[in-house]
């Protein structure tokens, strides 16, 4: 089985340590915090697929065409760092929304939007929660299976990478699917993680959509 992984992995220098009062937006622009989390999630996913002897081709999302995405099953790493994650989730129940100072996951079915939000002008040390989208579904626009693993912020992406590569977390997700043929089901979930001193806690399931 051939599978492509799209991520935004630019090489950039990183600080020796994160400044506690540094705003997340500043950290992203100057210290490449989000791509670092993408790289970590990609490493976990590629290691798992390597153990299962699945061929993997890693591609930069910024130079990936629609033809590339249609070429076969695709794993999208990262959320706002990956244009394809934003584009393809726009049609799903849980989608991504961003403004200059706010990044969030939206729930199409909610009258009042959940607090799955990061205020990008807040100090990085002020974040106590992060959220991510994980999904596996057949995308009608690409004609193939798409897997998504991307957080609002870096901790969300790290938690999503941990979630999709550990059997106990996936078992929790499958236990919430009200159908026996889960292998054919389209699944999208919102994953939350507690953030303490900049580190991600265990991922937890916040919401699930199955169709």
């Amino acid at each position: 089985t051939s599978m492509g992984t799209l991520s935004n992995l630019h090489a950039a220098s990183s600080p020796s340590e994160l400044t506690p009062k540094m705003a997340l937006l500043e950290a992203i622009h100057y210290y490449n915090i989000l791509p670092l989390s993408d790289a970590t999630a990609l490493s976990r996913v590629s290691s798992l697929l390597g153990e299962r002897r699945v061929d993997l081709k890693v591609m930069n999302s910024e130079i990936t065409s629609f033809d590339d995405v249609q070429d076969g099953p695709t794993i999208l790493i990262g959320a706002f760092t990956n244009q394809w994650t934003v584009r393809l989730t726009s049609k799903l129940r849980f989608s991504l929304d961003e403004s200059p100072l706010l990044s969030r996951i939206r729930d199409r079915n909610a009258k009042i939007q959940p607090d799955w939000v990061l205020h990008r002008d807040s100090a990085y040390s002020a974040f106590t929660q992060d959220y991510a989208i994980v999904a596996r579904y057949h995308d009608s626009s690409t004609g193939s299976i798409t897997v998504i693993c991307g957080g609002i912020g870096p901790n969300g992406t790290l938690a999503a990478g941990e979630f999709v590569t550990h059997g106990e977390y996936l078992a929790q997700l499958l236990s919430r699917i009200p159908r026996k043929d889960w292998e054919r089901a389209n699944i999208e979930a919102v994953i939350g993680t507690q953030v303490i001193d900049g580190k991600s806690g265990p991922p937890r399931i916040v919401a699930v959509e199955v169709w």
Side-chain angles (χ1 to χ4, degrees):
T1 302
S2 179
M3 181 172 294
T5 301
L6 309 186
S7 184
N8 185 3
L9 301 176
H10 291 298
S13 58
S14 298
S16 56
E17 61 183 79
L18 198 63
T19 304
K21 293 184 178 181
M22 181 180 294
L24 177 60
L25 191 60
E26 181 184 5
I28 292 172
H29 284 313
Y30 291 98
Y31 295 110
N32 210 24
I33 298 300
L34 283 177
L36 178 60
S37 63
D38 289 0
T40 302
L42 173 61
S43 176
R44 288 173 175 165
V45 171
S46 61
S47 294
L48 178 64
L49 295 178
E51 292 174 359
R52 299 182 179 183
R53 298 185 178 181
V54 176
D55 294 333
L56 188 68
K57 179 173 64 175
V58 178
M59 304 175 66
N60 187 309
S61 63
E62 291 188 353
I63 59 174
T64 298
S65 68
F66 188 65
D67 288 340
D68 293 326
V69 179
Q70 289 182 301
D71 196 36
T74 301
I75 302 173
L76 305 177
I77 303 293
F80 294 105
T81 59
N82 191 328
Q83 61 175 330
W84 286 104
T85 306
V86 176
R87 289 177 64 176
L88 295 185
T89 57
S90 64
K91 302 169 293 183
L92 304 181
R93 174 182 169 183
F94 306 118
S95 61
L96 299 163
D97 185 36
E98 186 176 39
S99 67
L101 297 179
L102 188 72
S103 299
R104 74 184 309 154
I105 295 173
R106 285 192 171 273
D107 183 350
R108 192 183 305 277
N109 294 351
K111 294 182 179 179
I112 300 176
Q113 287 302 311
D115 192 27
W116 304 331
V117 177
L118 288 187
H119 296 275
R120 299 175 66 183
D121 59 342
S122 299
Y124 184 77
S125 59
F127 293 118
T128 59
Q129 299 287 330
D130 200 352
Y131 299 91
I133 292 176
V134 296
R136 188 210 64 189
Y137 67 103
H138 186 276
D139 191 282
S140 59
S141 62
T142 65
S144 61
I145 296 295
T146 297
V147 175
I148 294 172
C149 175
I152 303 177
N155 297 100
T157 295
L158 291 172
E162 182 178 357
F163 187 91
V164 301
T165 55
H166 284 78
E168 62 268 31
Y169 298 129
L170 294 176
Q172 293 174 20
L173 178 59
L174 295 179
S175 70
R176 299 180 59 166
I177 298 176
R179 50 189 289 183
K180 295 182 179 180
D181 61 335
W182 61 264
E183 294 175 330
R184 298 182 181 180
N186 295 303
I187 307 166
E188 184 186 25
V190 175
I191 303 301
T193 182
Q194 185 175 10
V195 181
I196 301 176
D197 295 330
K199 297 182 179 180
S200 306
R204 66 184 188 281
I205 301 170
V206 177
V208 178
E209 176 74 359
V210 181
W211 69 101

